Amino acid sequence: MLHSFAQLPVFYLGLFGSLLAGLATGVGALPILFLSKVTQKFQGALMGFGAGVMLAATSFSLVIPGIEAATEQTGSEVVAASIVTVGMILGGLFLCLSHRYSPHEHFIKGPEGANPASLKRIWLFIIAITIHNFPEGLAVGVGFGGETLANGITLATGIGLQNMPEGFVVALALVGEKYSKWTALLVALMTGLVEPVGGAIGAGVVSVAKPILPWAMAFAAGTMLFVISDEIIPESHRLGYEKGATFGVILGFVSMMFLDVTLG
């Protein structure tokens, strides 16, 4: 079955892999139907775990393969490092501008972006998570455009693993805002379904032109780093439970590192 899967075009691999990763958001939100309260400390640890997974995925599945691909194409480690550096900066700037000009609302930081008062609060939450999830799908799609199928599978597995606690925290926050449990579950699922869009774009770009691969990997890595630092870690440090969140980051990082080594 895996052999047949590997024969699919890169576009479909990226689309399917990012779809499964996105659906994990809804799967992670399922416990909201049976639970209504979870300690803030545990929520912070869950968010920290997700940040650690994304950080390791960025390092081992995007930055390192991107440098290797650029080195192979150019024959120069200096040029390769320069390509990845510029690509990561561009990815971070892209997410920064998306945050600045898209109206959205964080659970902790509150409204942000252009004219947030013009939309209902639930749509501001949805836009915020959509901005957050798009680069994850992009990373999975780009990952499947590399030389080995294992890199894409590792990224999809890691992002899916990160999405599960995130989906639960999102659903929990919506229930806290007086939305019904089923609405919270549906919203969590919807926010994950933007990932196949990013996956299709990432896989489509690298399948059309292989020389773009290191640039695309670096760009995806930059967007992921922006999300980790600007979104997830600050959210995980709320209400003063930084230590639990920090140990969550460590556990998430080593879990993803183990997956990358064993699968890749």
Side-chain angles (χ1 to χ4, degrees), residues 35 37-38 60 79 112 123 135 139-140 152-153 160 167 215 245:
L35 301 172
K37 289 186 178 180
V38 175
F60 298 113
V79 174
E112 189 177 7
W123 286 108
V140 174
I153 292 175
W215 288 95

Side-chain angles (χ1 to χ4, degrees), residues 17-243:
S18 55
L19 174 62
L20 291 180
L23 289 175
T25 307
V27 173
L30 284 174
I32 199 64
L33 299 177
F34 313 102
L35 301 172
S36 57
K37 289 186 178 180
V38 175
T39 65
Q40 294 285 347
K41 186 175 183 179
F42 185 62
Q43 289 183 53
L46 286 177
M47 294 294 287
F49 178 84
V53 169
M54 287 183 68
L55 187 58
T58 300
S59 303
F60 298 113
S61 298
L62 289 173
V63 174
I64 293 175
I67 291 173
E68 291 174 347
T71 302
E72 184 178 344
Q73 288 179 10
T74 64
S76 168
E77 293 182 348
V78 174
V79 174
S82 300
I83 287 173
V84 172
T85 298
V86 173
M88 291 179 69
I89 292 172
L90 291 175
L93 287 174
F94 171 76
L95 254 290
C96 182
L97 292 174
S98 298
H99 275 238
R100 183 173 181 178
Y101 295 109
S102 299
H104 58 285
E105 181 165 351
H106 305 279
F107 294 122
I108 302 302
K109 292 192 295 184
E112 189 177 7
N115 242 349
S118 63
L119 292 173
K120 290 184 178 180
R121 198 170 185 208
I122 189 169
W123 286 108
L124 294 175
F125 286 142
I126 291 172
I127 293 171
I129 305 300
T130 299
I131 294 172
H132 173 128
N133 283 347
F134 177 80
E136 297 175 5
L138 181 69
V140 174
V142 170
F144 277 106
E147 294 298 322
T148 63
L149 180 65
N151 192 54
I153 292 175
T154 303
L155 266 169
T157 303
I159 297 300
L161 189 64
Q162 184 271 149
N163 280 342
M164 294 179 73
E166 178 185 285
F168 178 63
V169 171
V170 169
L172 195 65
L174 287 171
V175 169
E177 293 293 326
K178 309 304 180 185
Y179 291 101
S180 72
K181 291 183 177 181
W182 283 103
T183 299
L185 176 62
L186 181 61
V187 170
L189 177 62
M190 285 173 58
T191 59
L193 293 181
V194 72
E195 294 198 9
V197 178
I201 292 173
V205 167
V206 297
S207 64
V208 169
K210 279 290 182 181
I212 297 176
L213 179 62
W215 288 95
M217 283 186 159
F219 185 89
T223 61
M224 294 261 280
L225 281 178
F226 185 94
V227 168
I228 293 165
S229 179
D230 190 70
E231 296 272 352
I232 306 180
I233 290 179
E235 295 273 339
S236 71
H237 282 194
R238 59 189 176 187
L239 301 180
Y241 296 113
E242 294 93 347
K243 290 293 187 296

